Amino acid sequence: MSNNLTQKFNQGERSAVIPGFSSSLRKKYSISIFILIILSVLNISLASDEVNSNIWSFSVELKVTSTTLFLVFLFWLPVLLPLLLTQFPQLQNSLTWLREQGIEEVETNLLKIKLRYGVQEASQSYEEKVWNPGATGANLSAQEVHQQIEKRYQDAIALVDAASNIDSVEALKRIDQLATYYDKVREEMPSGSNRTRLMRDISSTMWALVTKTTNFPVYERLISNKAGERMSAYKYLEWQPSIEYIDLLLSRAIGILEMPFGQYSALLALRRIVTTKELNSTLSKKTIDILHWSTNLDYMGADRRRLMVEILSILETNA
């Protein structure tokens, strides 16, 4: 009984969101397109005789062109669109949600930022080769992991330098815009792959832009109550690693202030620090102890544990 009710509710929900025409408008639309189709296939000619102007000839030729095919597609569009949305509910749900939440505007403006400032390839390279869980090779030594990570950072940085001529003021302005986008997506989108994809795209673009900044307010952003500003600080520390922020990064990586995505980003910044800076024995031992303890926390996902293990391997090798 409950299954039948659920099915009826889902059907009613689909019918409420499937875009379509009213019956009268659909009729007018169909008639208009049908007439245009008929006219597009008919090649009608009417000519008078060159000798006797009173004699006229009339001919009709049928010819199907690309215009005809396009009109046929338009004729069936009102039927095909609801059908496609019904067959692909995930597409329907995504489009409906985007319209309701306005996230489509975020995605469009995000793409404009990437294209306008030449950071699209750099952010994509960073996302695929650095951010992506499992990006580093398996069964590598700590030194090999270090070398692999550093090379991938440098490859992505080279793409920024080659394509972008944005100055520091403009770069920081766009980072602030991305931070606002990040907060909007984080607060308004339900958890899931769509939200993760957008946050990953925003954060990777932030990283590409911070390489163009000077005098970045890293501490103020690390202690900010806005997740987007904290994210920009994590990206900056991946660009300019500094030992003095290790304690703050550790608290963000394992604390409850951040969502898993923010924790993962803090760990990325921490990994860059330990692969590029030499920690003193006291700080190294303290960091190792905290990370060992953190890997046993129930709420730590596999991706964050993997990063912690990488960091521990590097620290223990250098100890």
Side-chain angles (χ1 to χ4, degrees), residues 77-293:
L77 186 60
V79 176
L80 291 174
L81 187 58
L83 178 63
L84 288 173
L85 291 176
T86 302
Q87 295 300 316
F88 300 98
Q90 67 275 19
L91 175 61
Q92 170 195 322
N93 294 337
S94 297
L95 291 174
T96 302
W97 190 90
L98 287 173
R99 284 195 298 270
E100 291 174 353
Q101 302 298 336
I103 299 301
E104 57 186 338
E105 179 183 347
V106 171
E107 291 196 277
T108 301
N109 287 333
L110 175 60
L111 182 60
K112 287 179 180 177
I113 289 175
K114 295 172 77 169
L115 292 175
R116 180 177 177 184
Y117 299 107
V119 296
Q120 185 174 24
E121 289 187 6
S123 63
Q124 184 177 348
S125 176
Y126 165 84
E127 185 175 330
E128 293 175 353
K129 298 180 179 180
V130 178
W131 187 95
N132 185 37
T136 54
N139 302 320
L140 296 179
S141 68
Q143 185 62 29
E144 288 171 330
V145 169
H146 172 200
Q147 292 173 351
Q148 186 183 85
I149 291 171
E150 194 58 27
K151 182 180 185 306
R152 292 180 176 185
Y153 273 111
Q154 296 307 321
D155 288 346
I157 291 169
L159 290 174
V160 182
D161 292 338
S164 176
N165 58 359
I166 182 175
D167 62 32
S168 176
V169 174
E170 184 68 15
L172 191 57
K173 178 181 177 181
R174 296 308 168 189
I175 290 169
D176 289 341
Q177 186 178 355
L178 290 168
T180 301
Y181 289 167
Y182 181 87
D183 290 335
K184 183 177 181 181
V185 170
R186 184 175 182 260
E187 293 168 6
E188 296 180 2
M189 282 189 81
S191 60
S193 58
N194 285 340
R195 183 172 74 173
T196 300
R197 178 186 58 79
L198 262 178
M199 292 194 300
R200 186 173 66 238
D201 205 13
I202 291 170
S203 65
S204 64
T205 307
M206 274 185 182
W207 178 86
L209 287 170
V210 296
T211 64
K212 293 295 184 178
T213 62
T214 56
N215 300 319
F216 189 88
V218 58
Y219 178 75
E220 289 79 2
R221 296 197 174 215
L222 274 176
I223 63 173
S224 172
N225 62 351
K226 295 181 179 179
E229 291 186 351
R230 296 195 301 272
M231 179 59 63
S232 68
Y234 303 149
K235 296 302 117 181
Y236 180 81
L237 287 173
E238 282 188 74
W239 158 238
Q240 293 289 354
S242 175
I243 293 176
E244 67 177 294
Y245 299 111
I246 282 185
D247 287 341
L248 270 174
L249 287 175
L250 281 170
S251 68
R252 297 293 185 264
I254 65 176
I256 60 174
L257 175 64
E258 293 288 7
M259 295 191 310
F261 190 93
Q263 293 175 342
Y264 185 86
S265 299
L267 285 169
L268 284 174
L270 182 61
R271 185 182 66 177
R272 185 83 200 285
I273 291 174
V274 302
T275 56
T276 56
K277 304 293 181 181
E278 184 176 349
L279 279 62
N280 62 50
S281 58
T282 302
L283 183 56
S284 178
K285 184 179 184 306
K286 174 185 173 183
T287 305
I288 289 172
D289 290 342
I290 292 174
L291 289 176
H292 271 304
W293 174 80

